[in-house]
Amino acid sequence: MTQPWTLHEDRALPADPVTRPIAREIYQQTRSLPIVSMHGHVPVEWFAHDTPFTDPAELLVVPDHYLLRMIISQGRYALHELGVPAVDGSAPVEADPRAIWRRFCEHWPAFRGTPTRFWMEHELVEIFGVTQRPSAETADAIYDRIAAEIADPGFRPRALLDRFDIEVIGTTDPAWASLEHHHALAAQGMGERVLPTFRPDPLLLLDNLTFTHDVLATGAAAGVQVNDYATYLDALRAQRLRFKAAGGVATDHGPATPDTTPLPDDDAARLFDAAFNGRPVTGAQVAAFSAHMLFEMARMASEDGLVMQIHPGVERGHARRMTRRYGSDKGYDIPVAVEFTRALQPMLDAFGHHPGFRTIVFTIDEDVYSRELAPLAGVYPAMRLGAPWWFIDSPEAMRRFRETATETAGFANLSGFVDDTRAFCSIPARHDLARRIDAGSLARLVAEHRLDLDEAADTAVDLAYRLPRLAYAAR
Amino acid sequence: MTQPWTLHEDRALPADPVTRPIAREIYQQTRSLPIVSMHGHVPVEWFAHDTPFTDPAELLVVPDHYLLRMIISQGRYALHELGVPAVDGSAPVEADPRAIWRRFCEHWPAFRGTPTRFWMEHELVEIFGVTQRPSAETADAIYDRIAAEIADPGFRPRALLDRFDIEVIGTTDPAWASLEHHHALAAQGMGERVLPTFRPDPLLLLDNLTFTHDVLATGAAAGVQVNDYATYLDALRAQRLRFKAAGGVATDHGPATPDTTPLPDDDAARLFDAAFNGRPVTGAQVAAFSAHMLFEMARMASEDGLVMQIHPGVERGHARRMTRRYGSDKGYDIPVAVEFTRALQPMLDAFGHHPGFRTIVFTIDEDVYSRELAPLAGVYPAMRLGAPWWFIDSPEAMRRFRETATETAGFANLSGFVDDTRAFCSIPARHDLARRIDAGSLARLVAEHRLDLDEAADTAVDLAYRLPRLAYAAR
Amino acid sequence: MTQPWTLHEDRALPADPVTRPIAREIYQQTRSLPIVSMHGHVPVEWFAHDTPFTDPAELLVVPDHYLLRMIISQGRYALHELGVPAVDGSAPVEADPRAIWRRFCEHWPAFRGTPTRFWMEHELVEIFGVTQRPSAETADAIYDRIAAEIADPGFRPRALLDRFDIEVIGTTDPAWASLEHHHALAAQGMGERVLPTFRPDPLLLLDNLTFTHDVLATGAAAGVQVNDYATYLDALRAQRLRFKAAGGVATDHGPATPDTTPLPDDDAARLFDAAFNGRPVTGAQVAAFSAHMLFEMARMASEDGLVMQIHPGVERGHARRMTRRYGSDKGYDIPVAVEFTRALQPMLDAFGHHPGFRTIVFTIDEDVYSRELAPLAGVYPAMRLGAPWWFIDSPEAMRRFRETATETAGFANLSGFVDDTRAFCSIPARHDLARRIDAGSLARLVAEHRLDLDEAADTAVDLAYRLPRLAYAAR
């Protein structure tokens, strides 16, 4: 390959000559829409402090577990050689960002066919003006190019918010967050652009090793002295309202299963007391309390109007020894099968028609789209079906989603596109990819005379912009 | 959109320019074939009485839970505002059919991408001559147009049977049915056109609240005084024969699971006695008896030759409060995962090679096509794999079925197309859609040189006509 | 169809006019590559004795359960009429190979849309020069043609190895194999071409009726006197090394589930003692010991470097009565759902980063590709994801595999194509089909500008040749 590396105008659009021009026409309706990014993991500090990025490895490799996991899978390097410190100090972390970058570049062929390849290509060419395909040979030149770019003030986080045309971005924050950064941003007029999201998972998990500490911290942040189940609920309610006051529109829940079976209050109170006071609880009790509290979170949501995001079904830290050594979120979280129909039944029966309640349900177990989630989202007014997420935020999986979910759920019961990343620079690439895939899927419906072109174009704008805005409107 | 609303000649055929002409050629072989509709829910009374339809809402909206559920999901109207009475009298049912029709029309965009959109478009244009896309603005004009059509004597049920070219249609009838309407139809020479189907679900479910009543009613219809397990079996046998004598060719079974493990007769008799005499039975006993009776139904089928349809795996009335208020079949039935390999093993081991036995197995859990149902149908002579059903009777799901089931089951082990609807006017649209999708799938095999054109055309006729005729031939 | 039967040059390539020429170009890179066939069931005796094949039925019909099961499913013939003896002597086996061949040919239409059709068409035309489509009418002429071909010395097994350009072929051998045939082949310079594979399933299954016998036989072959758990492990270790010395590179495991939870050694020893001495063991104990031994097999693999193939999830002999009558492997093995994420966790946590360990995991439960297997293979260096296998070694299923597995696993974490057959003559057809499907899938990535053409061509060679070579390199 000697010609300069460029992005093809029609990338990720369908190949067939009848469908592509229609897809192109639909994509023109959405390509310049602002980005709505309601579910992400970019640290709020980046925007509050607007600190410059340090180097290409720190920006693009080390925080991105998609990249790390693929390099690890090839067996040549360990995580500490990719910039991830071993928390047990058993090995020195690589201190040279250029060495990390080289290791990433030499693995470029391993990313063929993955969404990372698509996103990174977009980022390198579009954001950093790179003109060479990554490889051991080109690594240094690309490194220098990116390093020069990020030294520019136009590359600081807030400037990028503008450059990327991000209209609104959600951060994910612990339930006990002080929200000081969000308050500071609000004071600077960015309160409706960078929104906190309330993530209470550790507070609902009785075998969380720091359960009592986390509950008390949440109480402290909320100004509630927690000493029993009732005050625990008070603290949750109060802290939810503090998030809402700071611009928050949603809560985020990643339980082991989506079971929402409520317990009698007395039983819940007894289980809470046991864990809060350090007495042992069984696995079954942990599961029962989690299900109960998911139900209670739905009740609170129906009262305060925060949108409830649920994304269950991940075995965290599958490689125990690696997780002990390098910490969590390093690429070792693996999905498991999830049952939704019976699990969500108590919650949807109770709140599924409540005008104040909205839940968005995500899955990485694709089997449930046509069998469970589309049928549920296709009847309960309170439920929206979330976009393909995490491993399945990719071209083929997004197409499968359109083909397995839409026929039963309809478009109007979807969340629209939702990225989910801590790789800030990948956000425009992810939204662009989703808009291209949606344009292609809609174009097929037009080419097969199953939808008129005006309807398809209108639906594309729904998916890219209006539906996420609607789905995440606090109620 | 200012041009009149029309149906494109090539709708639902593949877009790519190589495959479409082949698909068109294959579709020409099937488009005019008569309709074989062996598994449906149109009330036999319609044909027996040949009563005119009252109004567009009563005909097209109120009985169709696909329509109701999508409107409900948008949160603007409740079921009683769509013509469904609240059985608790808590709200007045909408009495104005035109208001119901308007509510449907204003929701037209919510149906984009759903099979309902495709069917309804076909019905409105092809059957009623509508030339405007439904919307709040066009609702009244369309209503008037349909109302005028259905006032015509040519629109009475029997006339439509001819107009739709329905060669044979199955109705679904309770096990205790007197079959008087079928007898009346037979007396008028329609006994081979409108066939009863024996549906004994409530008789196999020990926790059915009206179990004793239903069993006695079945006995009464069959002329058998039931007082124990042996006479219960006698009544089932006798009533099956009465259905067969009235033209019936099949039975229909919708158990919670497809478990077919038989019990020792003594155990089965004891469980029957308990439930029949109003003594409590456990959930496990209910499940065990259901499995046992499914096995017994297979045995009876191998004796009397009635084809045994099985379609398990639906959680009925998921929104308990809505079901209490509005009754069943209102769009709140949600699928669950189903295991078939082990569940069907006892039945298939015992009767799977029996020359008198035929079972057609349906699923809405698509995951089992390639893993379980196609491998089973691909070896047991007695088993046929049913067409995609209910939520998955849709373009994409039908394509997935072809791609996941055919390679292992072959075409010859399929039921051919089977609609499943209480929306009478949608029957031609459903068969037309299936024929188009099959033509497209077969055309792809031809375009990829995996099948010759003459074979594809022959297979298309199999799927549309010959296979359902064969699959439902009483043995 | 009057024109002679031929194979289309572009068969199984995508139909659309943009993608096909790209696919053709990619396929040119792989069509002439030698065949690497590491996972098969061709008997080693064929190569050791180089015996001529007897007749077309014996060669092409009787040993191929894909063919048998489809004919059986049509209900006209029983297995003994297809050349499979009833072991209970209840019916005489068909002795006339021509009659068997006719029965196969008259069922030709039943194979439409199945991979068997594709493979057999390739074999008949390409290997045997047949020019007529099989049918009742053409059966005899085709029979004569094949019979004439196989009478030629150029059709003996070793000659076919050359003609098929099979660079290396694995056989599957019982754990107690003497390996005499492999030693004989090695003595004739074929030791690196025909490799044994160690299959210890019966030794890990405590309720195997011949458990003690099989264990003692393995010990005898290995030269180890087994009398307890420790010597049992010694025998396994020693026999693995004998396989390795005879050219073996891999072991093959078909457990009921992929559970790999180890037991304390004392518990394992106690369970072994019980079964070895004929005392009863429970189902739970059987499962626990199987899981434990899978873990131990991984440990041994990390020590001796034999590649560990795992393919769980099959209910063997589903039709019990047929299996009692005709034996196993007659088409009645049916897949069941399998859980991998939690099942493989102990093994992968312990050995997943071990430089000496390599495991290749196969599934016929496709649901797990995107949810479980691709995420696992995409991070653990020791794991490779096996190619679609058995029922899913077919055009559509291979495409689904590319679309559901590649995005998360990447190409580099796949095994490349692996056939799995006892139908020797189908091997070239299977590899050719896989190369065509891969070319088509890669061409789509190129046509959608998601991969450059040089990358796609390079990846095609990886999948067809380099990856299986790498994946099965003993470590």
Side-chain angles (χ1 to χ4, degrees):
Chain A
M1 206 192 64
T2 52
Q3 74 275 44
W5 211 39
T6 55
L7 300 178
H8 196 286
E9 187 63 15
D10 290 335
R11 63 194 181 281
L13 299 185
D16 101 73
V18 171
T19 311
R20 179 167 291 185
I22 305 172
R24 214 184 270 144
E25 194 168 343
I26 295 170
Y27 173 59
Q28 290 309 322
Q29 308 299 310
T30 59
R31 69 177 308 166
S32 305
L33 290 175
I35 287 176
V36 176
S37 175
M38 298 303 295
H39 179 126
H41 297 281
V42 177
V44 61
E45 293 84 342
W46 288 14
F47 304 114
H49 301 151
D50 203 29
T51 339
F53 299 108
T54 55
D55 63 72
E58 193 59 39
L59 178 64
L60 296 174
V61 180
V62 185
D64 190 338
H65 51 63
Y66 291 85
L67 267 68
L68 298 177
R69 73 194 319 273
M70 184 56 82
I71 301 174
I72 289 302
S73 77
Q74 296 307 294
R76 283 203 290 281
Y77 300 108
L79 280 168
H80 58 270
E81 296 170 293
L82 300 169
V84 179
V87 292
D88 59 3
S90 60
V93 69
E94 175 59 65
D96 178 7
R98 191 178 287 270
I100 297 169
W101 182 256
R102 282 184 194 139
R103 286 165 193 161
F104 162 62
C105 286
E106 74 185 68
H107 278 83
W108 186 249
F111 291 95
R112 289 175 188 168
T114 70
T116 297
R117 152 66 183 263
F118 191 94
W119 299 326
M120 188 57 83
E121 194 172 4
H122 178 118
E123 294 173 57
L124 293 177
V125 176
E126 193 96 342
I127 304 180
F128 299 105
V130 171
T131 56
Q132 292 166 296
R133 198 195 271 177
S135 67
E137 292 70 37
T138 60
D140 282 340
I142 299 175
Y143 185 92
D144 293 336
R145 169 91 209 192
I146 300 172
E149 289 287 325
I150 63 182
D152 189 279
F155 209 86
R156 289 165 72 164
R158 291 192 193 174
L160 287 185
L161 275 186
D162 289 337
R163 177 165 168 192
F164 294 165
D165 200 10
I166 297 177
E167 186 172 289
V168 56
I169 187 166
T171 62
T172 302
D173 308 270
W176 49 83
S178 69
L179 299 173
E180 53 172 330
H181 298 306
H182 286 94
H183 294 148
L185 284 163
Q188 295 167 68
M190 296 184 70
E192 293 182 8
R193 192 166 192 189
V194 183
L195 313 181
T197 305
F198 182 74
R199 176 122 193 199
D201 287 351
L203 303 182
L204 315 185
L205 205 60
L206 295 185
D207 62 355
N208 160 18
L209 293 175
T210 57
F211 180 73
T212 310
H213 169 273
D214 296 345
V215 168
L216 290 172
T218 304
V224 174
Q225 178 59 48
V226 177
N227 43 42
D228 59 8
Y229 176 64
T231 46
Y232 158 77
L233 293 183
D234 287 343
L236 284 166
R237 267 187 222 104
Q239 190 68 347
R240 291 173 63 104
L241 291 177
R242 286 191 66 243
F243 270 71
K244 190 170 180 181
V249 295
T251 68
D252 191 26
H253 304 266
T257 81
D259 186 11
T260 57
T261 309
L263 295 171
D265 281 345
D266 283 0
D267 293 358
R270 246 190 309 275
L271 290 178
F272 174 84
D273 284 347
F276 187 66
N277 294 301
R279 295 195 303 272
V281 285
T282 67
Q285 290 173 324
V286 171
F289 190 78
S290 165
H292 170 77
M293 284 307 299
L294 221 50
F295 187 92
E296 288 302 315
M297 287 283 124
R299 187 201 306 278
M300 291 183 198
S302 73
E303 290 161 2
D304 62 26
L306 290 176
V307 175
M308 183 176 184
Q309 302 173 93
I310 306 179
H311 44 71
V314 184
E315 176 95 1
R316 306 272 172 186
H318 190 269
R320 307 266 187 274
R321 301 200 294 189
M322 293 296 145
T323 304
R324 278 195 297 273
R325 197 172 182 198
Y326 296 108
S328 53
D329 297 329
K330 296 298 175 293
Y332 290 101
D333 296 351
I334 309 287
V336 293
V338 183
E339 196 283 333
F340 284 95
T341 299
R342 288 172 177 134
L344 295 179
Q345 193 275 329
M347 180 182 86
L348 290 173
D349 187 25
F351 307 109
H353 295 78
H354 191 296
F357 184 55
R358 161 70 42 81
T359 184
I360 304 177
V361 181
F362 296 86
T363 185
I364 30 180
D365 176 3
E366 300 186 66
D367 299 348
V368 301
Y369 284 147
S370 88
R371 186 180 64 219
E372 304 178 25
L373 291 183
L376 289 168
V379 66
Y380 283 104
M383 177 171 162
R384 290 290 175 271
L385 177 50
W389 159 66
W390 195 352
F391 286 125
I392 54 179
D393 175 16
S394 61
E396 303 300 343
M398 286 194 273
R399 277 186 193 145
R400 286 197 295 278
F401 175 75
R402 287 275 156 263
E403 291 171 10
T404 52
T406 310
E407 293 186 322
T408 297
F411 290 104
N413 290 310
L414 307 179
S415 72
F417 184 67
V418 176
D419 70 80
D420 174 10
T421 186
R422 56 197 79 225
F424 184 39
C425 288
S426 76
I427 290 177
R430 286 165 188 255
H431 284 257
D432 182 63
L433 177 58
R435 292 170 187 190
R436 290 171 180 274
I437 296 297
D438 282 344
S441 295
L442 289 161
R444 192 158 75 85
L445 295 182
V446 175
E448 293 178 10
H449 315 290
R450 293 158 58 195
L451 204 61
D452 294 325
L453 182 58
D454 66 321
E455 297 175 299
D458 185 59
T459 302
V461 177
D462 282 348
L463 293 170
Y465 184 80
R466 289 186 211 117
L467 280 169
R469 271 298 196 190
L470 276 170
Y472 285 91
R475 293 160 79 89
Chain B
M1 207 191 64
T2 52
Q3 73 273 44
W5 212 38
T6 55
L7 299 178
H8 195 287
E9 186 63 16
D10 290 335
R11 62 194 182 282
L13 298 184
D16 101 72
V18 172
T19 312
R20 178 168 291 185
I22 305 172
R24 215 184 271 144
E25 195 168 343
I26 296 169
Y27 173 60
Q28 291 310 322
Q29 309 300 311
T30 60
R31 70 177 309 166
S32 304
L33 290 174
I35 288 177
V36 176
S37 174
M38 299 303 294
H39 179 127
H41 297 280
V42 177
V44 63
E45 292 84 342
W46 288 15
F47 304 114
H49 301 150
D50 203 28
T51 340
F53 299 107
T54 55
D55 61 74
E58 194 58 39
L59 178 64
L60 297 174
V61 180
V62 185
D64 190 337
H65 50 64
Y66 291 85
L67 268 67
L68 297 177
R69 72 193 321 271
M70 184 57 81
I71 301 174
I72 288 301
S73 77
Q74 298 306 295
R76 283 203 291 281
Y77 299 107
L79 280 167
H80 58 269
E81 296 169 294
L82 300 169
V84 179
V87 292
D88 58 3
S90 60
V93 68
E94 175 58 65
D96 177 8
R98 191 179 288 268
I100 296 170
W101 181 256
R102 282 183 193 140
R103 286 165 194 161
F104 162 63
C105 286
E106 74 184 67
H107 279 83
W108 186 249
F111 291 95
R112 289 176 187 167
T114 69
T116 297
R117 152 67 183 262
F118 191 94
W119 299 325
M120 188 57 82
E121 194 172 3
H122 179 117
E123 293 172 58
L124 293 178
V125 176
E126 195 94 344
I127 304 180
F128 300 103
V130 171
T131 56
Q132 292 167 296
R133 198 195 270 177
S135 67
E137 292 71 36
T138 60
D140 281 341
I142 298 175
Y143 185 93
D144 293 336
R145 169 92 208 192
I146 300 172
E149 289 286 326
I150 63 182
D152 190 279
F155 208 86
R156 288 166 72 162
R158 291 192 192 174
L160 287 184
L161 275 186
D162 288 337
R163 175 163 169 192
F164 294 165
D165 199 10
I166 296 177
E167 187 172 290
V168 56
I169 186 167
T171 63
T172 303
D173 308 270
W176 49 84
S178 70
L179 299 172
E180 53 173 328
H181 298 306
H182 286 94
H183 294 148
L185 285 162
Q188 295 166 69
M190 295 184 70
E192 293 184 7
R193 193 166 191 187
V194 182
L195 313 180
T197 304
F198 182 74
R199 176 121 193 200
D201 287 351
L203 303 182
L204 314 185
L205 205 60
L206 296 185
D207 62 355
N208 160 17
L209 293 176
T210 56
F211 180 73
T212 310
H213 169 273
D214 296 344
V215 169
L216 290 172
T218 304
V224 175
Q225 177 60 47
V226 177
N227 43 40
D228 57 9
Y229 176 64
T231 46
Y232 158 77
L233 292 183
D234 287 343
L236 284 167
R237 266 187 223 104
Q239 190 68 347
R240 290 173 63 104
L241 291 177
R242 286 192 65 245
F243 271 72
K244 189 170 181 180
V249 294
T251 68
D252 191 26
H253 304 266
T257 81
D259 187 11
T260 58
T261 309
L263 295 171
D265 280 346
D266 284 0
D267 293 358
R270 244 189 312 273
L271 290 179
F272 174 84
D273 284 348
F276 187 66
N277 294 302
R279 294 195 302 272
V281 285
T282 67
Q285 290 173 325
V286 172
F289 190 78
S290 165
H292 170 76
M293 284 308 299
L294 221 49
F295 187 92
E296 288 303 316
M297 287 284 125
R299 186 200 308 277
M300 290 183 198
S302 73
E303 290 162 2
D304 62 25
L306 289 177
V307 175
M308 183 178 185
Q309 302 174 92
I310 307 179
H311 44 71
V314 184
E315 176 95 0
R316 307 272 170 186
H318 190 269
R320 306 267 187 274
R321 301 200 293 190
M322 293 298 145
T323 305
R324 278 195 296 273
R325 198 172 181 198
Y326 297 107
S328 53
D329 297 328
K330 295 299 174 296
Y332 290 101
D333 295 351
I334 310 286
V336 293
V338 184
E339 197 284 332
F340 284 95
T341 299
R342 288 172 178 133
L344 295 178
Q345 194 277 327
M347 180 182 87
L348 290 174
D349 187 25
F351 307 108
H353 296 78
H354 191 297
F357 184 54
R358 161 70 41 81
T359 184
I360 304 177
V361 182
F362 296 86
T363 185
I364 31 178
D365 176 4
E366 299 186 66
D367 299 349
V368 302
Y369 283 147
S370 87
R371 187 179 65 218
E372 305 179 25
L373 291 183
L376 289 168
V379 67
Y380 282 104
M383 177 171 163
R384 291 290 176 271
L385 177 50
W389 160 67
W390 196 352
F391 286 126
I392 54 179
D393 176 15
S394 60
E396 303 299 342
M398 286 194 273
R399 278 186 193 146
R400 286 197 295 278
F401 175 75
R402 288 275 157 260
E403 292 171 10
T404 52
T406 310
E407 293 186 322
T408 297
F411 290 103
N413 291 310
L414 307 180
S415 72
F417 184 67
V418 176
D419 69 80
D420 174 11
T421 186
R422 55 197 78 223
F424 184 39
C425 288
S426 76
I427 290 177
R430 287 165 188 255
H431 284 257
D432 182 63
L433 177 58
R435 291 169 186 190
R436 290 170 179 274
I437 297 295
D438 283 344
S441 295
L442 288 161
R444 192 158 75 84
L445 295 182
V446 174
E448 293 179 9
H449 315 288
R450 292 158 59 194
L451 204 61
D452 294 325
L453 181 59
D454 65 322
E455 297 174 300
D458 185 59
T459 303
V461 177
D462 282 348
L463 293 170
Y465 184 79
R466 289 186 212 117
L467 281 169
R469 271 298 195 189
L470 276 170
Y472 285 90
R475 292 161 81 88
Chain C
M1 205 191 65
T2 53
Q3 73 275 44
W5 212 39
T6 55
L7 299 178
H8 196 285
E9 187 62 17
D10 291 334
R11 63 194 180 281
L13 298 185
D16 100 74
V18 171
T19 311
R20 178 168 289 184
I22 305 173
R24 216 184 269 143
E25 194 168 343
I26 295 170
Y27 173 60
Q28 290 309 323
Q29 308 300 310
T30 59
R31 70 177 309 167
S32 305
L33 290 174
I35 287 177
V36 176
S37 174
M38 299 302 295
H39 179 126
H41 298 279
V42 177
V44 61
E45 293 83 343
W46 288 14
F47 304 114
H49 301 150
D50 204 29
T51 341
F53 299 107
T54 54
D55 64 71
E58 193 59 36
L59 178 64
L60 297 174
V61 180
V62 184
D64 190 339
H65 51 64
Y66 291 84
L67 268 67
L68 298 177
R69 72 194 320 272
M70 184 57 82
I71 301 175
I72 289 302
S73 76
Q74 297 306 294
R76 283 203 290 279
Y77 299 108
L79 280 167
H80 59 269
E81 295 169 295
L82 300 169
V84 180
V87 293
D88 59 2
S90 59
V93 68
E94 175 59 64
D96 177 8
R98 190 178 288 269
I100 297 169
W101 181 256
R102 282 184 193 139
R103 285 163 195 165
F104 162 64
C105 286
E106 75 184 66
H107 278 83
W108 186 249
F111 292 95
R112 289 176 188 169
T114 70
T116 296
R117 152 67 183 262
F118 191 94
W119 299 325
M120 189 55 84
E121 194 172 4
H122 178 118
E123 294 173 57
L124 293 178
V125 176
E126 193 95 345
I127 303 179
F128 300 103
V130 171
T131 56
Q132 293 166 296
R133 200 196 269 178
S135 67
E137 292 71 36
T138 61
D140 281 340
I142 299 175
Y143 185 92
D144 293 336
R145 168 92 207 191
I146 300 172
E149 288 287 326
I150 63 182
D152 189 279
F155 208 85
R156 288 166 71 163
R158 291 191 193 175
L160 287 184
L161 275 186
D162 289 337
R163 175 165 169 192
F164 294 167
D165 199 10
I166 296 178
E167 187 172 289
V168 56
I169 186 167
T171 62
T172 302
D173 308 270
W176 48 84
S178 69
L179 298 174
E180 54 173 327
H181 298 307
H182 286 94
H183 294 147
L185 285 163
Q188 294 167 70
M190 295 185 70
E192 293 181 10
R193 192 166 192 187
V194 183
L195 313 180
T197 303
F198 182 75
R199 175 119 193 203
D201 287 352
L203 304 182
L204 314 185
L205 205 59
L206 296 185
D207 61 355
N208 160 18
L209 291 176
T210 57
F211 180 72
T212 309
H213 170 273
D214 295 344
V215 168
L216 290 172
T218 305
V224 174
Q225 177 60 46
V226 178
N227 43 42
D228 58 8
Y229 176 64
T231 46
Y232 159 76
L233 293 183
D234 287 343
L236 284 166
R237 267 188 222 103
Q239 190 68 347
R240 289 173 63 104
L241 290 176
R242 286 190 66 245
F243 269 72
K244 189 170 181 180
V249 295
T251 67
D252 192 25
H253 304 267
T257 82
D259 186 10
T260 58
T261 309
L263 294 172
D265 280 345
D266 283 1
D267 292 358
R270 244 189 312 271
L271 290 178
F272 174 84
D273 285 347
F276 187 67
N277 294 301
R279 294 196 302 273
V281 285
T282 67
Q285 290 173 325
V286 172
F289 190 77
S290 165
H292 170 75
M293 284 307 299
L294 220 50
F295 187 93
E296 288 302 316
M297 286 285 125
R299 187 201 306 279
M300 291 183 197
S302 73
E303 290 163 2
D304 62 26
L306 289 177
V307 174
M308 182 176 185
Q309 302 173 92
I310 307 178
H311 45 71
V314 184
E315 176 94 2
R316 306 271 170 186
H318 190 268
R320 308 265 186 274
R321 301 200 293 190
M322 293 297 146
T323 304
R324 277 195 297 274
R325 197 172 181 198
Y326 296 107
S328 53
D329 297 328
K330 295 299 175 293
Y332 290 101
D333 295 351
I334 310 287
V336 293
V338 184
E339 196 284 333
F340 284 95
T341 299
R342 288 173 178 134
L344 296 178
Q345 194 276 329
M347 181 182 86
L348 290 174
D349 188 25
F351 306 110
H353 296 78
H354 190 296
F357 184 56
R358 162 70 42 80
T359 183
I360 304 178
V361 181
F362 296 85
T363 185
I364 31 179
D365 177 3
E366 300 186 66
D367 299 349
V368 301
Y369 283 146
S370 89
R371 187 179 65 217
E372 304 178 26
L373 291 183
L376 290 169
V379 66
Y380 282 104
M383 177 172 163
R384 290 289 175 273
L385 176 50
W389 159 67
W390 196 353
F391 285 126
I392 54 178
D393 176 16
S394 60
E396 303 300 342
M398 287 194 272
R399 278 186 193 146
R400 285 197 296 277
F401 175 73
R402 288 275 157 261
E403 291 171 11
T404 53
T406 310
E407 294 187 321
T408 297
F411 290 105
N413 291 310
L414 307 180
S415 72
F417 183 66
V418 176
D419 69 81
D420 174 10
T421 186
R422 55 197 79 223
F424 184 39
C425 288
S426 75
I427 290 178
R430 287 164 188 255
H431 285 257
D432 182 63
L433 177 58
R435 291 170 187 190
R436 290 171 180 275
I437 296 296
D438 282 344
S441 295
L442 289 161
R444 192 159 74 86
L445 294 182
V446 174
E448 294 179 9
H449 315 289
R450 292 158 58 193
L451 204 61
D452 294 326
L453 181 58
D454 65 321
E455 296 175 300
D458 185 59
T459 302
V461 177
D462 282 348
L463 292 170
Y465 184 79
R466 290 186 211 117
L467 280 169
R469 271 299 195 188
L470 276 170
Y472 285 90
R475 293 161 80 89

